[in-house]
Amino acid sequence: MSQTDIPAGNPAVPGIYYDLAVPVFSFGGAALAILTWTSGISIDLRFTAAGCVIASFVLAYLAWIRPKKDIVALTTPIYAIIFFAVPLDDAVATIVLELLYAVSLSILLVRLKYRFGAPAATHEEGTLSGPLGEYIEKTQPACAGLPPAAAHRAAVVFLRYAAGEYGDVQLEAREGILLLDGSGNAPAFKTAFEILAEQAAITEKSLPRPEWYRQFTSADEALLARPLPPEKKNDDGYDAGFDAALDNALLLLFAAAWNASEADRGHLRTAEVFAARVIGG
């Protein structure tokens, strides 16, 4: 993609700080406990144990922002509170516990980094990643001249379908078709509205797949996320064209809304996972 999916600046720096915070807080608290104890200073060791608690929350955050979740790292704050909420009678035992816990957190940090991958990439406002982002960018020129009201209606139709509100999809799709009339844009957008209206009605009423249904033509293929199936049905009677028409219609309306109705992008973000699943097949 020509636009980056990662915010400007050096994204590795905050990550390094978070990684370093785990051993710094945990071992730092233990070191402070040792220093006060050897110096004969009377202090509640729960204050020094706070370093382990803070480090646990940092580790849990690092686990949370990864695509694959490490349940062990996520639950470390719970154990930190259990271990250190009530101080042990023996100061030496408390210090040893802090040191052992700091070592455990460091081991879990290494495990997290090597077994659970990198943190999920953040997006700049207005960008999408992966195949969905590439498709959005490809369709941007065709969406540039769409009427804003029609693009907004495309967002509404996509979101209604993603939410399973098939009755509303039919009404909103018909409104979108009216808003497109006379706009001079590619007829593929009108076809997308028609496909969604038709298939929403079929799904809402649990009707069988019809023999004839609305679909895109070869003239629309340049705007579609998926190629048109070369054959309508296979030997088992499965009609790939019906599913391809729905997927292409959903993705084309998502692209229309994203590219031509910037105000709807926040709403479309809530259905980004659904769109990515559609384009991923």
Side-chain angles (χ1 to χ4, degrees):
M1 296 177 64
S2 60
Q3 294 177 330
T4 180
D5 293 320
I6 302 175
N10 186 356
V13 173
I16 291 175
Y17 287 159
Y18 281 121
D19 291 345
L20 289 176
V22 175
V24 166
F25 277 105
S26 57
F27 282 105
L32 180 60
I34 294 172
L35 180 62
T36 56
W37 178 66
T38 55
S39 302
I41 300 174
S42 179
I43 185 175
D44 190 337
L45 291 182
R46 279 180 295 186
F47 290 109
T48 62
C52 289
V53 177
I54 294 172
S56 295
F57 277 96
V58 174
L59 181 64
Y61 169 75
L62 292 173
W64 177 256
I65 63 176
R66 280 166 164 75
K68 293 173 61 180
K69 309 301 182 189
D70 179 6
I71 188 64
V72 177
L74 284 170
T75 55
T76 51
I78 299 174
Y79 292 104
I81 293 172
I82 293 173
F83 291 157
F84 300 111
V86 179
L88 300 176
D89 294 334
D90 188 350
V92 175
T94 302
I95 293 172
V96 171
L97 180 61
E98 287 189 43
L99 287 171
L100 291 175
Y101 196 81
V103 171
S104 299
L105 290 181
S106 299
I107 293 172
L108 287 175
L109 176 63
V110 174
R111 174 177 176 268
L112 180 68
K113 291 175 67 65
Y114 285 95
R115 289 192 57 185
F116 291 86
T122 56
H123 301 292
E124 280 186 353
E125 184 65 28
T127 66
L128 293 166
S129 61
L132 181 62
E134 294 170 4
Y135 175 67
I136 294 298
E137 185 175 0
K138 182 185 80 169
T139 56
Q140 189 172 20
C143 299
L146 282 172
H152 169 67
R153 201 63 55 184
V156 173
V157 170
F158 179 89
L159 293 169
R160 291 283 188 270
Y161 194 95
E165 299 171 1
Y166 303 117
D168 291 339
V169 168
Q170 300 166 61
L171 297 173
E172 299 291 351
R174 295 188 190 102
E175 180 67 22
I177 292 170
L178 293 175
L179 292 169
L180 277 174
D181 281 349
S183 65
N185 285 280
F189 296 106
K190 180 180 179 182
T191 302
F193 278 122
E194 292 171 343
I195 290 171
L196 264 295
E198 180 183 63
Q199 296 218 19
I202 292 170
T203 303
E204 182 186 31
K205 299 174 184 177
S206 299
L207 300 174
R209 292 185 177 186
E211 184 69 23
W212 302 100
Y213 52 86
R214 195 74 176 89
Q215 54 187 315
F216 293 100
T217 66
S218 57
D220 305 321
E221 197 157 9
L223 289 177
L224 304 181
R226 293 187 178 179
L228 298 174
E231 297 180 3
K232 188 175 181 182
K233 293 184 179 180
N234 61 17
D235 295 337
D236 298 328
Y238 172 69
D239 190 347
F242 189 82
D243 291 335
L246 174 61
D247 291 347
N248 279 323
L250 283 168
L251 292 167
L252 185 58
L253 292 186
F254 184 94
W258 186 274
N259 286 320
S261 183
E262 188 172 343
D264 286 309
R265 288 180 179 176
H267 301 296
L268 293 171
R269 283 280 189 198
T270 64
E272 182 182 350
V273 173
F274 174 78
R277 189 163 60 244
V278 172
I279 202 169

